[in-house]
Amino acid sequence: MAKSQNTAQPGWAALLDLDADMYERLRYAGRSATDLVAVGQAWDTVPEGWEALAIAPLARGLAALDCLGVPLDAGFPVIADHSRSELIVLVEAGATGPLGELQGVRALRAGTTFLLVPFGPQGAYHAAWLSRPTPCMARYVDPVALRDAVLVAEAERAGHSRAC
């Protein structure tokens, strides 16, 4: 995935703060807005054979996606857990290794855990869509590029000048 130049367009970081209306919709969504799914299991528009990475804090993960230049509307399955301040990025099975070694990143592997996933157009406060996958094609972020972007985002947040 190619890295992009900084542009004036709003990026992933703009999704960090919820406006009052969205907060209310997500906070009081009914039980049907989410479901607990075994990692790797097919559901909704995500095919079988996936794993997930939970990146904390949420701002760190959003900054990494901005560094990568991942388009907001490209159909990559990306979930926010606002209650835990985590970004959940779905990746292909077997691809979680490069990020599992980073502090603040949990690898959720198939057969070992469950994940609360959003259903419907938005989901809920504990599992909300930031980017909903498309039904015709599974699109996953490259975990090696994501690891590098997390490291660059961390360096930028620490005041070390490393451009994306």
Side-chain angles (χ1 to χ4, degrees):
M1 188 170 303
K3 295 181 183 180
S4 69
Q5 301 297 323
N6 289 339
T7 64
Q9 297 177 4
W12 291 91
L15 301 176
L16 181 61
D17 296 319
L18 299 173
D19 64 33
D21 289 338
M22 180 59 79
Y23 174 82
E24 291 295 318
R25 278 195 300 271
L26 293 176
R27 188 76 174 165
Y28 298 106
R31 289 181 170 242
S32 64
T34 60
D35 198 7
L36 199 59
V37 174
V39 171
Q41 175 182 322
W43 52 277
D44 199 11
T45 56
V46 178
E48 189 172 336
W50 57 275
E51 293 179 336
L53 296 157
I55 302 170
L58 179 59
R60 178 187 189 204
L62 294 173
L65 292 177
D66 277 335
C67 278
L68 280 177
V70 174
L72 288 168
D73 59 355
F76 291 92
V78 178
I79 300 168
D81 180 343
H82 294 286
S83 65
R84 295 178 65 141
S85 187
E86 287 185 336
L87 182 75
I88 312 297
V89 180
L90 274 57
V91 296
E92 292 181 274
T96 57
L99 276 127
E101 66 209 30
L102 293 178
Q103 184 175 5
V105 177
R106 290 182 300 125
L108 309 174
R109 293 182 173 91
T112 63
T113 192
F114 288 84
L115 179 66
L116 189 65
V117 297
F119 280 93
Q122 294 173 331
Y125 191 71
H126 300 288
W129 285 119
L130 295 183
S131 175
R132 190 173 169 82
T134 59
C136 58
M137 139 191 281
R139 300 196 65 177
Y140 298 111
V141 175
D142 176 352
V144 174
L146 184 57
R147 180 199 58 213
D148 295 344
V150 166
L151 293 172
V152 168
E154 277 297 300
E156 288 180 352
R157 286 179 61 188
H160 305 295
S161 178
R162 285 180 68 183
C164 295

